[in-house]
Amino acid sequence: MNLRSIPFSAWIGIAGIAIAIFCALFAPMIAPFGERDVVGDVWLPPGGDFLLGTDNLGRDLLSRLIYGARTTIFVALAATVLSFSLGMLLSFTAAVVGGFTDQLFSRFNDLMMAIPTLIFALVVLAVLPQHLWILILVMAVLDSTRVFRIGRAVALDVAVMEFVEAARLRGEGSLWIIFREILPNTLSPLLAEFGLRFAFSILFLSTLSFLGLGIQPPAADWGGMVKDNKDGIIFGISAALVPGAAIATLAICVNLVVDWLMKRTSSLKGGRGDA
Amino acid sequence: MMESGPLTGPVPTDGSADGTHPRPAELSGVPAKPNPGTANPSNGDIDGTFWRRFTFRRPLVALILQRLGLSVGLLFAVSLMISGGIEALPGDFATTYLGQSATPQAVENIRKDLGLDKPWSERYLSWLGGAVQGDFGTSWASKNSVGEQISKRLGNSLFLAFFAALVSVPLAVGLGMLAVQFRNRLPDKIINVVSLAAISLPEFFVGYLLIMFFAVQYGVATFPATVYDSMTLTERLSAIALPVATLVLVVLAHMMRMTRAAILNVMSSAYVETAELKGLSMFRIIARHAAPNAVAPVINVIALNLAYLVVGVVVVEVVFVYPGMGQYMVDAVTVRDMPVVQACGLIFAAFYIFLNMAADILAIIANPRLRHPR
Amino acid sequence: MPEMLSVKNLKIEATSYPPGEPPKVVTLVEGVSFTVQKGKVLGLIGESGAGKSTIGLSALAYGRGGVRITGGEVLLDGKDILTLDKNGIRSIRGARVCYVAQSAAAAFNPAHRLGDQVIEASLRHGIMSREEAKKRALYLFRVLGLPNPETFGERYPHQVSGGQLQRAMTAMALCPNPELIVFDEPTTALDVTTQIDVLAAIKHAIEETHTAALYITHDLAVVAQISDDIMVLRHGKTVEYGSTKQIIEAPREDYTRALVSVRQTKRDEAADQTGAQLKIEHISAGYANGFKVLHDVSMHLPKGQTLAIVGESGSGKSTLARVITGLLPPSEGRITFEGKELPPALKGRSNDELRRIQMIYQMADTAMNPRQTVREIVGRPLSFYFGLHGQKKTERVNELLDQIEMGTRFLDRYPAELSGGQKQRVAIARALAAKPELILCDEPTSALDPLVAEGILNLLLKLQEETAVSYVFITHDIAIVRAIADSVAVMHRGRLVRFGPKSKVLSPPFDDYTDLLLKSVPEMEIGWLERVLKTRRMESAGN
């Protein structure tokens, strides 16, 4: 891969993601105040000591934004990695083994996808106790249905190729076929898909937090910060818009990179439509 | 040269051309959709040769019937999953319901009160039986009839979604066509970048941004978007202006990008090249050769995005404090009011399944191969 | 004779966008000049990538996706159409110059009736009234031998067969009474027995309507039947240009000579055809949806010999190969190899049983993992079956590369860095690496250009002499059968029509299908088409 072949838009995306990850990793060092420290009056305007002002309890918005990057990115990334591993494992198994296994997995996946993700999450989170790992797990399982669909399509595309048949005829086992024959040929579309799922996870987590079902206070996360400060909106206080903008920016950055990855691969199946 | 007389040569015996040649592709004549045989493998065996013959002679009707059957089955399975899944997951409502003050005796009483002591299958059947007639039981939290609440709020939600669709569909299709017209030129690139950004915006961010500008700064719109029974239509419309705008912005980008892709796909086909090589005008190529084939995928795109709209309503209603289904459900989830959650979940899923089915069926109807079988 | 089309010093370029590099301008065609007179046919012939189609489309001032005509003149009836504006070009396309595409199935709009599409250009250009156009379409349907010409136009494209569509496309091109028609490989996608009918129909229609035509194909034998002059192209440049008679009977250039005489490999069949290394007995097979593809097929193959299985698409020949490999277990019958019955399914076979039967595919591109180097591709069977590694493995890979006449410098190349012929050679090396006793060859040369294919066939014959490997050779090409087979099996619609030693199968008396098949293969001989149409007994089916 040639560095100069990366378009400008993708560079913007990469830079944005890098900044967010930097904030997440070194939050305690760069944040001017603590995550949960009440340092001033409620909803102070931006400027002075508080670059972005303070929130509904008088905590520094910038500091919470930096700490929030940590939670948001960690949870979204964990959910994406998990959903990806799960979806890939099941979809590749379905595509390679075929027959009854494929039918079983695929039909169950259809069933899961017949319920909109957000509605499904609402129903499930209404029942389950509120723990971080449960949240990650629910997000991962729900999202893995989409990974499954795309993974199966991509794997089937490759699995019908004659070199896979040749490997079968040689007597190779399923593991060799998956890891040595199919996987190397699907990396590029799957990488794009990973980015897409990550962007979706960020939005989904933020939505859940905004609805009060995601990350629980007092931990800072971007969706939750919007919820905390939403009442200020009617008074013309823009504190809720700052974390909202952060979510949007990060998602845009990820999508810019994905867009570039997608253009490099033409074989990717499925759209970016999601619900 | 004329005595070679190819006229006597190539005239085929017509019968051999059609009937006797088995064409397995016939049955799976819908290219974009999975083979109906694989989608519902048991069908052929149960209905035997009659169904097969029917599929062969009236593929359109057969496929539509199949989609309908599939959707009903899917809805049934979803109801089973919502109800059974809740049962299987850990977490006891009674304990949660009582919170800190849960003594074993109180828990027992509550369980009996809510009917949780009966076996699950019995509860499921009575719940499903009621749900079919629109009776979803009583709310645990408010002790009101869930069905009554829903009938009020569902109307509100549909009102919102309907106007959002009314604005977004023509706009999205128009912009999609514009992008195709100016493919790879400046307008297309601008539309591409803007829509890429738009699909990355969370609904609540768009919502609050609009509130900030139009309700707070300029005061031209109302917030919160409450509606009452006594409101006139114009009052209602002005109340939902901002929520509709939010929904439109959220769904527009998706729909437009997919429309663009669908039209581009048709425009790069060999038959459009044929039309071009016939020396037809651009207008005629688009109107007569591209449009009939682009209708199906575009309708599909619209239906899929309307399904998305139904879900998008949830967040938008919370942002704008709009008395619809979404808000009802979110409130119920926070207090773990299971009858309400179940009912709302089922209704949302039903709409989603129905719209997806509509997309499938419209695509089937628009396919000339199925409309005019051999 | 007036010159209908005169192309002078044509230059065509395209911009390609290789990933990760700045855009590049590629010259597709350079310095090509020719003329076509009224009522005459010029054949453009060449391998894939020779620029034939690009030149053909230039007669309509059209370039596909980024292709631009950057130099020269295209004179239609004396006027350069390249200098015309948009509307001027439009008034020529579909009115004075028409185009027949390779895949009529894709070129017809699925949403409209065939009749409407056939007359559309005539109406839109105001050449004739609807009534006149309909009458002409009916006339053309008759001339082209389409079934039920009165109602044929009512049908939709998907309701008629491929051969009929190709003729309907010809009718569509002829309808506005154009001065020139460009035929772009109109019979390439068709089966050989269908091709001959379409070819005859096109020839008849051209004669009837006195139009001039450009006929583009890669098959010299086909173009010899239909054209008056031939231009041989290679890499976008003219190799030779002359009358059909001169090109076929007295080619001047080496390349043309090679094309004309390409099918010259000949081998006599083995005298002793007793014994059976591979025995196929009463095999029937079908797919899960109940569609039966093979009906009671039996044949056998002695050790060290070649069995050619011939048939058109849909004959079941590839399915038979899948049955032999175990990919598709048969519903009835059994296969015996070296005196032992083979387990029907792939999963039941031991690695040694798998090793002894290897396979070579038609498309070497898809038969090799694009992410593996030649070393890995050829080396894997060595380590898998024989446990070879390190130095020993490398030595053996080198040996194999020598055997397929490729040097060790290809060791670390990826398939994408090889030519079509080289890829097929590597695929052969991979099969050889397993030290097989039988190699199934599924049309290994049909995707290759004729000269390259010839090299592959010679290599296969040489390897058979060296290693005494047996071949089951699946093909639709009778010439290849003549060249390399010991015994031949002819298949038609899933049934075995004829089986035996080559000399018996390919000489009379014939059954009807074999007669049709043999007579449908174009021969490099002027006047073959007329001769064969008079003598054959059976109409091709399903065209």
Side-chain angles (χ1 to χ4, degrees):
Chain A
M1 191 168 37
N2 189 338
L3 279 186
R4 260 181 305 172
S5 73
I6 302 177
F8 180 64
S9 63
W11 276 120
I12 297 178
I14 292 171
I17 296 169
I19 292 171
I21 291 178
F22 180 79
C23 288
L25 288 178
F26 303 105
M29 283 169 237
I30 34 179
F33 299 96
E35 182 182 7
R36 296 165 194 191
D37 301 344
V38 177
V39 290
D41 269 346
V42 171
W43 284 328
L44 285 175
D49 278 348
F50 313 111
L51 214 53
L52 295 174
T54 56
D55 73 354
N56 60 327
L57 297 178
R59 297 169 293 193
D60 178 43
L61 210 54
L62 178 65
S63 305
R64 280 185 67 78
L65 204 62
I66 292 170
Y67 277 102
R70 204 169 220 201
T71 328
T72 303
I73 291 177
F74 166 72
V75 174
L77 199 61
T80 311
V81 169
L82 207 60
S83 97
F84 221 72
S85 321
L86 192 67
M88 280 298 130
L89 186 73
L90 294 179
S91 66
F92 276 41
T93 311
V96 172
V97 176
F100 179 72
T101 318
D102 184 20
Q103 283 294 321
L104 188 76
F105 286 8
S106 299
R107 293 295 81 79
F108 185 69
N109 195 61
D110 287 352
L111 180 60
M112 295 275 285
M113 287 181 75
I115 309 175
T117 314
L118 182 62
I119 303 299
F120 209 140
L122 287 180
V123 171
V124 174
L125 289 174
V127 185
L128 291 171
Q130 283 178 335
H131 287 302
L132 193 62
W133 64 270
I134 286 182
L135 179 70
I136 294 176
L137 209 63
V138 168
M139 283 174 61
V141 169
L142 290 180
D143 207 36
S144 68
T145 57
R146 274 137 236 274
V147 179
F148 178 89
R149 190 175 61 170
I150 277 138
R152 183 170 171 276
V154 172
L156 273 186
D157 257 9
V158 179
V160 295
M161 304 272 269
E162 278 159 349
F163 65 83
V164 177
E165 190 182 295
R168 265 184 229 269
L169 286 180
R170 206 184 303 137
E172 304 278 9
S174 292
L175 282 182
W176 172 281
I177 290 177
I178 290 177
F179 285 104
R180 302 302 291 269
E181 307 284 351
I182 296 182
L183 204 59
N185 288 292
T186 51
L187 274 184
S188 196
L190 291 186
L191 199 62
E193 182 58 21
F194 184 85
L196 212 56
R197 297 328 316 160
F198 181 52
F200 181 73
S201 275
I202 294 169
L203 293 178
F204 191 54
L205 172 71
S206 306
T207 302
L208 285 178
S209 293
F210 169 73
L211 295 177
L213 298 162
I215 289 158
Q216 297 304 313
D221 100 284
W222 293 347
M225 287 168 68
V226 177
K227 179 189 167 70
D228 292 343
N229 295 299
K230 67 177 180 184
D231 295 332
I233 292 281
I234 19 178
F235 309 115
I237 290 154
S238 58
L241 293 180
V242 174
I247 298 164
T249 311
L250 183 56
I252 288 173
C253 287
V254 175
N255 269 327
L256 283 174
V257 177
V258 168
D259 200 51
W260 161 61
L261 286 174
M262 290 254 232
K263 275 185 187 143
R264 286 188 36 189
T265 67
S266 47
S267 62
L268 185 63
K269 288 269 170 89
R272 35 176 70 218
D274 246 317
Chain B
M1 289 289 253
M2 277 310 295
E3 77 274 19
S4 62
L7 263 184
T8 55
V11 180
T13 45
D14 191 37
S16 65
D18 285 346
T20 55
H21 218 20
R23 283 168 204 277
E26 180 86 353
L27 289 170
S28 54
V30 206
K33 296 289 151 200
N35 188 333
T38 55
N40 201 350
S42 60
N43 238 330
D45 301 329
I46 294 168
D47 303 58
T49 51
F50 168 73
W51 180 249
R52 265 197 196 177
R53 258 183 295 138
F54 187 67
T55 319
F56 202 79
R57 236 177 308 133
R58 311 292 303 273
L60 191 67
V61 184
L63 272 177
I64 291 175
L65 284 178
Q66 233 163 13
R67 293 286 154 204
L68 283 170
L70 203 66
S71 302
V72 172
L74 211 52
L75 196 58
F76 178 72
V78 164
S79 77
L80 202 68
M81 197 152 79
I82 288 180
S83 174
I86 286 171
E87 201 67 25
L89 291 171
D92 187 78
F93 311 119
T95 328
T96 328
Y97 191 63
L98 286 170
Q100 302 293 332
S101 63
T103 63
Q105 185 54 44
V107 167
E108 197 53 38
N109 287 343
I110 288 276
R111 286 183 69 88
K112 205 167 251 166
D113 238 26
L114 301 176
L116 290 175
D117 52 340
K118 290 192 206 128
W120 168 70
S121 55
E122 196 185 319
R123 272 182 291 136
Y124 170 67
L125 284 178
S126 72
W127 174 68
L128 191 67
V132 172
Q133 299 159 29
D135 171 19
F136 292 96
T138 37
S139 156
W140 291 351
S142 67
K143 307 291 179 206
N144 287 334
S145 157
V146 177
E148 231 167 73
Q149 278 288 317
I150 285 180
S151 66
K152 264 190 256 161
R153 288 164 172 265
L154 186 59
N156 285 345
S157 286
L158 288 178
F159 186 69
L160 189 61
F162 172 77
F163 280 99
L166 205 63
V167 179
S168 61
V169 170
L171 206 57
V173 174
L175 282 174
M177 278 156 75
L178 199 71
V180 171
Q181 188 65 40
F182 294 96
R183 181 176 6 154
N184 291 335
R185 280 187 279 160
L186 195 65
D188 183 30
K189 282 182 177 160
I190 292 173
I191 289 176
N192 183 43
V193 170
V194 170
S195 67
L196 188 73
I199 58 175
S200 313
L201 300 183
E203 291 96 336
F204 52 82
F205 179 60
V206 177
Y208 285 127
L209 214 55
L210 291 179
I211 293 171
M212 191 75 181
F213 277 100
F214 293 103
V216 180
Q217 300 260 344
Y218 300 112
V220 289
T222 48
F223 174 81
T226 13
V227 285
Y228 322 98
D229 287 342
S230 55
M231 274 173 133
T232 63
L233 186 67
T234 27
E235 279 172 339
R236 267 172 197 265
L237 285 181
S238 103
I240 63 163
L242 283 186
V244 164
T246 310
L247 275 174
V248 167
L249 283 175
V250 165
V251 88
L252 188 66
H254 273 285
M255 213 186 306
M256 196 228 77
R257 283 174 85 95
M258 287 159 83
T259 307
R260 175 182 182 272
I263 295 178
L264 264 189
N265 194 21
V266 171
M267 287 304 283
S268 60
S269 66
Y271 51 80
V272 168
E273 184 185 276
T274 305
E276 219 170 320
L277 289 177
K278 275 181 181 174
L280 305 181
S281 65
M282 204 57 207
F283 175 76
R284 188 170 169 89
I285 292 173
I286 290 174
R288 175 135 177 106
H289 288 278
N293 295 291
V295 163
V298 169
I299 286 179
N300 207 334
V301 166
I302 291 171
L304 288 178
N305 279 285
L306 291 188
Y308 179 84
L309 203 64
V310 169
V311 183
V313 155
V314 173
V315 178
V316 170
E317 282 179 5
V318 172
V319 169
F320 289 92
V321 204
Y322 181 80
M325 288 278 294
Q327 172 128 73
Y328 191 42
M329 183 170 185
V330 171
D331 287 347
V333 168
T334 31
V335 298
R336 309 203 167 209
D337 189 348
M338 289 325 289
V340 179
V341 174
Q342 276 188 6
C344 292
L346 191 67
I347 287 171
F348 274 118
F351 268 98
Y352 193 69
I353 291 171
F354 169 78
L355 282 165
N356 274 301
M357 179 190 76
D360 275 3
I361 289 181
L362 286 170
I364 290 170
I365 291 175
N367 186 335
R369 283 165 204 276
L370 295 166
R371 240 183 316 137
H372 311 282
R374 278 165 190 263
Chain C
M1 276 273 193
E3 281 177 6
M4 206 67 259
L5 177 74
S6 174
V7 170
K8 287 181 188 158
N9 212 8
L10 192 65
K11 183 170 184 182
I12 302 179
E13 291 177 313
T15 313
S16 75
Y17 299 88
E21 283 169 52
K24 254 195 316 215
V25 174
V26 201
T27 305
L28 299 178
V29 174
E30 201 170 13
V32 169
S33 306
F34 57 82
T35 56
V36 188
Q37 279 153 0
K38 190 167 163 47
K40 296 284 179 188
V41 181
L42 169 67
L44 294 181
I45 179 146
E47 302 172 351
S48 51
K52 320 179 285 275
S53 296
T54 317
I55 295 173
L57 285 168
S58 72
L60 294 102
Y62 185 83
R64 261 186 198 133
V67 170
R68 299 176 311 274
I69 303 167
T70 49
E73 296 172 356
V74 177
L75 304 171
L76 184 68
D77 215 4
K79 266 184 77 180
D80 190 355
I81 61 169
L82 298 182
T83 58
L84 294 174
D85 64 355
K86 245 185 176 172
N87 283 333
I89 288 174
R90 253 186 57 204
S91 69
I92 285 175
R93 288 180 187 163
R96 297 177 60 196
V97 186
C98 292
Y99 180 73
V100 177
Q102 173 172 353
S103 169
F108 271 110
N109 192 326
H112 299 299
R113 294 178 196 276
L114 286 170
D116 294 339
Q117 300 192 54
V118 166
I119 61 172
E120 185 180 20
S122 311
L123 298 186
R124 286 287 128 189
H125 289 290
I127 295 167
M128 45 187 96
S129 72
R130 180 171 285 273
E131 285 317 304
E132 287 168 336
K134 275 189 171 168
K135 246 169 84 186
R136 179 158 172 86
L138 179 60
Y139 161 74
L140 290 168
F141 289 159
R142 283 217 176 91
V143 170
L144 287 157
L146 283 163
N148 305 326
E150 290 80 13
T151 55
F152 185 79
E154 307 276 302
R155 302 220 201 166
Y156 283 87
H158 66 273
Q159 293 173 319
V160 306
S161 70
Q164 288 169 359
L165 269 186
Q166 210 66 52
R167 284 187 257 177
M169 182 118 203
T170 307
M172 183 156 87
L174 283 166
C175 189
N177 228 333
E179 291 148 43
L180 177 77
I181 298 189
V182 179
F183 291 95
D184 194 352
E185 306 240 18
T187 64
T188 305
L190 303 175
D191 266 330
V192 64
T193 58
T194 312
Q195 158 170 302
I196 185 172
D197 290 335
V198 175
L199 202 58
I202 289 177
K203 180 164 184 170
H204 179 61
I206 291 175
E207 282 163 3
E208 278 280 290
T209 54
H210 306 292
T211 179
L214 277 180
Y215 196 100
I216 297 162
T217 176
H218 67 281
D219 191 337
L220 192 52
V222 163
V223 88
Q225 309 310 318
I226 205 161
S227 62
D228 301 285
D229 296 310
I230 291 178
M231 172 177 267
V232 182
L233 293 157
R234 196 180 196 193
H235 307 317
K237 295 202 174 80
T238 311
V239 175
E240 193 168 353
Y241 178 32
S243 73
T244 302
K245 196 171 162 58
Q246 178 256 310
I247 298 276
I248 301 291
E249 289 169 7
R252 277 191 292 263
E253 297 294 320
D254 285 347
Y255 180 69
T256 317
R257 220 166 292 151
L259 281 182
V260 171
S261 60
V262 70
R263 286 152 177 171
Q264 275 197 336
T265 314
K266 269 253 155 67
R267 206 190 63 163
D268 293 330
E269 67 187 51
D272 179 20
Q273 297 204 8
T274 51
Q277 180 191 42
L278 176 75
K279 210 161 155 190
I280 296 164
E281 293 170 282
H282 306 291
I283 289 289
S284 294
Y287 290 99
N289 58 12
F291 182 62
K292 208 168 170 187
V293 190
L294 288 176
H295 308 266
D296 192 23
V297 173
S298 301
M299 57 185 79
H300 60 87
L301 166 65
K303 196 173 171 64
Q305 298 190 7
T306 302
L307 163 65
I309 303 179
V310 214
E312 300 175 74
S313 62
S315 66
K317 55 188 197 301
S318 294
T319 310
L320 186 59
R322 290 174 65 80
V323 171
I324 298 173
T325 56
L327 284 169
L328 179 71
S331 52
E332 281 161 60
R334 58 184 198 149
I335 296 172
T336 324
F337 188 69
E338 296 277 4
K340 240 182 82 191
E341 188 177 337
L342 277 179
L346 189 64
K347 277 188 183 152
R349 298 187 185 180
S350 70
N351 277 353
D352 196 52
E353 280 168 331
L354 293 174
R355 177 190 66 78
R356 285 151 61 156
I357 302 180
Q358 291 292 313
M359 178 125 182
I360 303 171
Y361 293 87
Q362 176 178 6
M363 308 296 292
D365 293 353
T366 56
M368 288 186 288
N369 192 332
R371 304 290 167 134
Q372 290 176 0
T373 60
V374 170
R375 183 200 297 272
E376 290 169 289
I377 291 168
V378 180
R380 179 60 190 168
L382 298 174
S383 43
F384 185 76
Y385 292 126
F386 308 112
L388 289 187
H389 49 82
Q391 188 61 32
K392 272 193 178 155
K393 184 165 142 185
T394 312
E395 274 169 25
R396 180 79 183 113
V397 172
N398 288 343
E399 242 176 79
L400 286 163
L401 286 183
D402 274 348
Q403 245 181 326
I404 56 160
E405 296 154 6
M406 279 168 70
T408 48
R409 66 202 157 94
F410 291 100
L411 264 182
D412 292 307
R413 301 237 189 133
Y414 286 93
E417 299 167 305
L418 302 175
S419 72
Q422 288 168 341
K423 275 181 235 176
Q424 199 56 282
R425 280 167 194 265
V426 172
I428 293 172
R430 176 175 65 182
L432 282 181
K435 294 196 176 158
E437 280 147 40
L438 171 69
I439 298 182
L440 293 172
C441 310
D442 190 357
E443 307 239 18
T445 58
S446 64
L448 300 174
D449 290 320
L451 296 180
V452 181
E454 189 72 4
I456 297 286
L457 286 182
N458 285 330
L459 174 67
L460 287 173
L461 289 179
K462 186 194 93 178
L463 292 173
Q464 189 166 43
E465 265 167 42
E466 286 172 11
T467 62
V469 64
S470 319
Y471 295 128
V472 169
F473 202 99
I474 293 161
T475 182
H476 67 275
D477 189 340
I478 302 286
I480 292 180
V481 176
R482 287 214 170 89
I484 65 159
D486 294 297
S487 51
V488 179
V490 181
M491 296 198 53
H492 181 48
R493 292 193 181 171
R495 290 176 204 279
L496 185 66
V497 178
R498 203 172 164 89
F499 171 68
K502 172 168 68 178
S503 55
K504 284 226 179 75
V505 170
L506 297 187
S507 35
F510 293 121
D511 59 281
D512 287 355
Y513 178 71
T514 309
D515 180 65
L516 171 70
L517 187 65
L518 290 181
K519 286 186 177 159
S520 300
V521 181
E523 281 172 32
M524 202 74 73
E525 178 195 319
I526 299 166
W528 163 83
L529 182 64
E530 286 77 15
R531 187 167 52 76
V532 79
L533 284 173
K534 270 187 270 182
T535 58
R536 63 182 191 161
R537 298 196 296 257
M538 181 179 160
E539 302 292 352
S540 54
N543 58 348

